Amino acid sequence: MTRTAPTTAPASARPGADPYASPLPTVASPAARAGQRMQRARLGVQGTPGRMRLVSAALVVVGLLVGLAAAQSFSVADGALVRADRNAAQLVRLQDIQTLLVRADADATNAFVVGGLEPADQRADYDEAVDRAVQQVAFAARAQPADGEALAALSSAIQSYTSGVVQARAANRQGLPLGAQYLREASAGLRADALPLLGALTSANEERVQTEFDTAGRAQVLALVAGLLGLVIVAGALVWLARRTHRYVNVPVAGAGVVILVVLVASVVALGSVAAAVADLRAGSYASARALAGARIAAFDAKANESLTLVSRGSGAAFEAAWQESSAVTSSLVAEAAQIDPAAADLPGGWDAYTALHQEIRSLDDGGGWEQAVAAAISREPGSANATFDAFDAASGEQLTAASEATSSGLRDARSGLALAGWLCGLAGVLAALLAWWGLSQRIEEYR
Amino acid sequence: MSGDVRGTQEPARGRVVLAAVVTLVGALLAGCTSSGYDPTPLPTASAAPSPTSSPSPSGSAAPVCDDPLASYAPISPLPAPGSMPSGSTMATIAERGRLIVGVSGDSLLLGARNPISGQLEGFDIDMARLVSQAIFGDPDKIELRVITAAERIPLLEDGSVDLVARNMTITCARWEQIAFSAEYYRSGQKVLVPLGSSATSLADLAGQRVCAPAGSTSLVKLEDFPEVVPVSAATHTGCLVKFQQGEVDAITGDDTVLAGLAAQDPYAQVVGPAFTAEPYGLGVNQANTDLVRFVNAVLAQAVADGRWTQSYDRWLADALGAAPAPPVPDYGRG
């Protein structure tokens, strides 16, 4: 502080205290007082040492901000990966619910093809599927509050579906044709209410996974921009200092620049590898899990439609059309999964084996052999449509679990070390700030 | 102020630094994305047609004809089973190896699947089996296709079924699209109401919701009672589901069908005298008059040898009383 004279003026000069001794106006209005304070502040940073103080403060802030930005990048990437994993887990849950519901419906409709006396194991399978679906809805609601409203609606839809099936069973048990009507309406209600809700939930969660993947992939941008800006500012400060101080390099400030450069390179490399890992998962196990899950849902839907075609006895053309549609979806998604990961094609017999048996059932029914068609459709002997379908179910379920786990573990691997790296970058920022402050305070000292 | 030549440049540079710092802070804040998600949107009410809602038939003026009950004269003599006249529709059916008949799967007593045996059975089914018996000498050479009321005419027109035996009323309007056998049963429209209701006809049901299957004469008849709120379902059983779920207050239909519904719900009763006459005929494609003649001969034979009464007694006597005299066939179409 070399020019402090004006600041010593009594800013609190009172009117009438000593009007002739004061160079200031006799009446100091609040505005004038504020003007004086600004004047003092401006004078405090005036001149070379003042500007040095300003630069020192700026570099300290820049160093801290670069460290913070890099730390934030790591934390954004880490958080995005955690959320992507959770959303992917939610997707698995939702698709599990959908698979369970269509499986329950396939069981219920297949049992109705048999007649009033439902096979006990089929009924047990239905009960288990519904129980698990209901539990999964509760778990899903806890896992993602944003899904709460849709899951509540889904819960009601499942409730009305199961009560329809119970009513259908009660009527069927008494030998009343009314039972089949209750079943048809329950089944149609499931497709009209529950499945669209699950579709909306699935697409919302798919979008969330994509958003988090995008966020994780872009996390490095913040560190990159901050690091580059920091480097430019430090370089500018070095040039300015060199002009002012007739020294070529201010070593501590240059050190701060090196630290920022290291932070920049390290975070771009580390976060770049996160982005690469995410891109791999996205095109790999995640895509394969999505394809397999879709294939399974369409497969169970096809199975239920096969039964509904037979229950309709001759007027089930619409259900057979729905079978064709679902079967085509399953085939193409199985092919897609196989393309992504040849191991996923390892479905013994695959979907085609069941398709061939379904065609046999259809040709029996279309040829007037409804009874034979029903016998073929409800048989559980090895080589029957049901047995072949069960094999597809088991194998594709296993592949789906494997792909989902691969996605989850891939995301965990990509996360490893991100938190530590974030802390280190924060510390490096502090180090850069200290170096810059030290470097400039040496120069400022020379003006004392 | 300082007199330094760079005085004007320094604050400018300061502003650059400040701007850079502000940019950094901004970038930092932009990185702090919120982790909260928008609530999952609920799908909008789907426009997918539910199986129970079908468009009601248009109420255009019904065509009139002198005598809707007039069918074609029976083939005489009735060919023996297994020796159908060559080139006839019956010969085509015999060659195929089975008679394809559109029936109801849930009209108890007329045509319904017995959930215990899995077999379709009822008075209408018996009529169809008489025809199979006459063609093949075997009542089981028959493919029963469960169809809805609205599908009866389209499936006959496109040749998907040879016959329709599904409580089908003979009307002038339908004669324009298909052909009918002679009348094989005379039914009448009544209403089904909850136990304890005082209503005895549609006229007593003003302001109430009354259900009838889409594409049925019963639904058309509802137009004569503008105070009644018509509700359609795919089948009469669909109406009973709505009735049990409180979506409709009453069901209207043929007494035979309503008897089958009341048998499934002890809290429902069929009331009043019949307010229409519903002559049932077997539906046939318009072009197959030879099949109509054949069917008429079969029906005449069944009435003569008592099989008609036997079937009536088995299915309808309990609900509708002792067998009436079988309808007198009218062969007015020559």
Side-chain angles (χ1 to χ4, degrees):
Chain A
M1 292 272 194
T2 49
R3 304 167 68 170
T4 53
T7 62
T8 58
S12 57
R14 281 175 183 81
D18 185 1
Y20 306 103
S22 172
L24 290 170
T26 49
V27 178
S29 68
R33 257 182 273 155
Q36 287 162 24
R37 273 200 294 278
M38 277 182 67
Q39 182 88 348
R40 260 179 286 154
R42 216 175 288 140
L43 288 173
V45 295
Q46 213 90 76
T48 303
R51 286 193 201 101
M52 279 186 178
R53 269 185 210 99
L54 198 66
V55 169
S56 168
L59 287 184
V60 165
V61 170
V62 165
L64 290 176
L65 282 183
V66 169
L68 208 57
Q72 170 74 2
S73 286
F74 281 101
S75 138
V76 163
D78 193 44
L81 292 179
V82 170
R83 288 191 299 274
D85 195 11
R86 282 192 200 138
N87 288 324
Q90 180 80 337
L91 261 181
V92 170
R93 222 171 274 126
L94 291 169
Q95 278 167 332
D96 193 29
I97 295 171
Q98 192 161 357
T99 312
L100 288 166
L101 288 180
V102 282
R103 185 178 117 195
D105 195 46
D107 277 335
T109 49
N110 198 251
F112 263 73
V113 175
V114 179
L117 270 183
E118 215 173 333
D121 52 347
Q122 212 157 357
R123 186 183 171 129
D125 196 58
Y126 167 89
D127 287 343
E128 194 217 322
V130 168
D131 276 353
R132 268 182 53 208
V134 169
Q135 288 164 5
Q136 288 284 49
V137 169
F139 292 140
R142 192 179 60 186
Q144 178 55 272
D147 286 342
E149 207 185 325
L151 286 166
L154 177 64
S155 209
S156 317
I158 296 176
Q159 167 87 6
S160 72
Y161 170 72
T162 52
S163 67
V165 171
V166 167
Q167 217 159 349
R169 268 191 195 138
N172 213 26
R173 191 80 191 183
Q174 298 171 65
L176 305 178
L178 189 60
Q181 184 66 25
Y182 269 109
L183 175 78
R184 264 192 292 276
E185 299 207 352
S187 209
L190 182 76
R191 281 169 177 71
D193 302 330
L195 299 191
L197 277 167
L198 277 161
L201 282 162
T202 303
S203 63
N205 280 281
E206 267 174 351
E207 239 168 71
R208 285 172 197 146
V209 171
Q210 302 292 7
T211 308
E212 299 305 348
F213 278 171
D214 287 343
T215 308
R218 277 197 315 259
Q220 53 179 330
V221 173
L222 176 63
L224 181 69
V225 169
L228 287 177
L229 266 175
L231 278 181
V232 168
I233 291 170
V234 169
L238 279 172
V239 170
W240 183 81
L241 272 176
R243 284 193 193 151
R244 285 302 159 98
T245 60
H246 312 294
R247 292 173 201 227
Y248 290 120
V249 180
N250 181 313
V251 177
V253 173
V258 170
V259 168
I260 289 176
L261 184 65
V262 168
V263 166
L264 172 65
V265 171
S267 44
V268 167
V269 168
L271 292 171
S273 82
V274 166
V278 164
D280 277 355
L281 285 174
R282 210 172 191 172
S285 59
Y286 176 70
S288 149
R290 309 285 315 111
L292 284 168
R296 283 169 56 77
I297 288 166
F300 278 101
D301 193 49
K303 193 74 181 68
N305 277 313
E306 175 182 284
S307 300
L308 286 171
T309 311
L310 289 171
V311 171
S312 300
R313 190 167 192 170
S315 54
F319 295 117
E320 172 59 13
W323 185 94
Q324 298 283 359
E325 213 173 287
S326 297
S327 172
V329 170
T330 302
S331 295
S332 80
L333 286 177
V334 165
E336 197 181 312
Q339 209 170 18
I340 297 160
D341 178 9
D346 189 23
L347 304 171
W351 180 245
D352 296 340
Y354 162 72
T355 309
L357 290 164
H358 170 80
Q359 296 308 347
E360 274 175 35
I361 293 173
R362 285 317 313 147
S363 55
L364 281 173
D365 188 21
D366 292 339
W370 186 79
E371 272 87 7
Q372 294 95 302
V374 166
I378 62 179
S379 165
R380 300 216 157 253
E381 298 298 309
S384 66
N386 276 336
T388 314
F389 185 86
D390 288 348
F392 171 82
D393 171 26
S396 62
E398 228 166 80
Q399 299 289 356
L400 173 61
T401 309
S404 301
E405 274 168 9
T407 306
S408 190
S409 75
L411 287 171
R412 269 198 307 277
D413 289 350
R415 276 184 61 208
S416 63
L418 288 186
L420 178 66
W423 281 110
L424 288 178
C425 284
L427 284 177
V430 172
L431 179 62
L434 284 173
L435 284 170
W437 174 79
W438 181 39
L440 276 150
S441 63
Q442 282 178 346
R443 299 286 80 81
I444 293 167
E445 279 301 306
E446 291 168 357
Y447 285 82
R448 288 212 184 265
Chain B
M1 262 180 120
S2 62
D4 192 324
V5 279
R6 292 198 194 96
T8 51
Q9 291 167 8
E10 291 307 320
R13 192 168 293 169
R15 275 200 293 278
V16 170
V17 172
L18 192 68
V21 170
V22 167
T23 314
L24 252 181
V25 173
L28 203 55
L29 288 178
C32 299
T33 46
S34 154
S35 61
Y37 297 112
D38 290 339
T40 305
L42 298 179
T44 46
S46 71
S50 89
T52 52
S53 69
S54 338
S56 56
S58 68
S60 56
V64 281
C65 49
D66 291 339
D67 183 8
L69 297 185
S71 183
Y72 300 100
I75 188 170
S76 180
L78 185 64
S83 51
M84 295 298 119
S86 66
S88 67
T89 310
M90 292 77 78
T92 316
I93 294 167
E95 205 171 309
R96 186 202 294 141
R98 66 186 194 279
L99 174 71
I100 304 178
V101 186
V103 298
S104 172
D106 57 3
S107 302
L108 205 62
L109 312 178
L110 290 176
R113 181 163 169 248
N114 179 333
I116 293 154
S117 67
Q119 296 295 312
L120 285 160
E121 53 189 34
F123 184 67
D124 279 341
I125 309 278
D126 281 357
M127 297 299 119
R129 288 192 188 279
L130 289 177
V131 180
S132 165
Q133 171 77 43
I135 297 177
F136 299 101
D138 180 352
D140 293 330
K141 293 243 167 153
I142 192 166
E143 178 186 345
L144 298 169
R145 290 188 58 179
V146 175
I147 62 174
T148 64
E151 286 171 334
R152 293 179 295 198
I153 291 174
L155 291 182
L156 277 176
E157 284 182 324
D158 71 12
S160 307
V161 296
D162 300 318
L163 275 184
V164 164
R166 195 191 183 289
N167 50 334
M168 193 172 193
T169 305
I170 305 169
T171 65
C172 291
R174 287 174 177 166
W175 265 111
E176 307 220 321
Q177 295 167 292
I178 58 165
F180 282 101
S181 71
E183 178 183 6
Y184 70 88
Y185 183 75
R186 174 66 60 92
S187 175
Q189 193 173 350
K190 291 187 181 176
V191 286
L192 177 146
V193 292
L195 218 54
S197 164
S198 59
T200 56
S201 75
L202 282 177
D204 301 332
L205 291 166
Q208 311 240 39
R209 297 158 300 174
V210 179
C211 186
S216 67
T217 51
S218 305
L219 190 64
V220 175
K221 185 72 186 166
L222 275 179
E223 290 169 11
D224 295 347
F225 298 87
E227 301 85 38
V228 166
V229 182
V231 175
S232 78
T235 61
H236 263 113
T237 310
C239 282
L240 184 58
V241 168
K242 285 186 189 292
F243 178 77
Q244 292 189 342
Q245 292 179 335
E247 290 173 34
V248 299
D249 305 301
I251 303 173
T252 186
D254 301 347
D255 53 1
T256 46
V257 178
L258 295 184
L261 297 185
Q264 299 182 63
D265 185 344
Y267 292 94
Q269 57 175 351
V270 182
V271 292
F275 49 86
T276 63
E278 305 289 337
Y280 286 174
L282 297 176
V284 180
N285 184 294
Q286 213 167 27
N288 300 338
T289 50
D290 56 345
L291 182 58
V292 178
R293 290 177 196 284
F294 181 82
V295 168
N296 282 346
V298 171
L299 290 175
Q301 198 188 52
V303 167
D305 65 16
R307 283 183 292 165
W308 184 92
T309 312
Q310 215 178 347
S311 179
Y312 178 93
D313 286 343
R314 181 173 175 204
W315 299 110
L316 301 171
D318 284 347
L320 301 171
V328 179
D330 176 348
Y331 303 127
R333 272 174 209 266

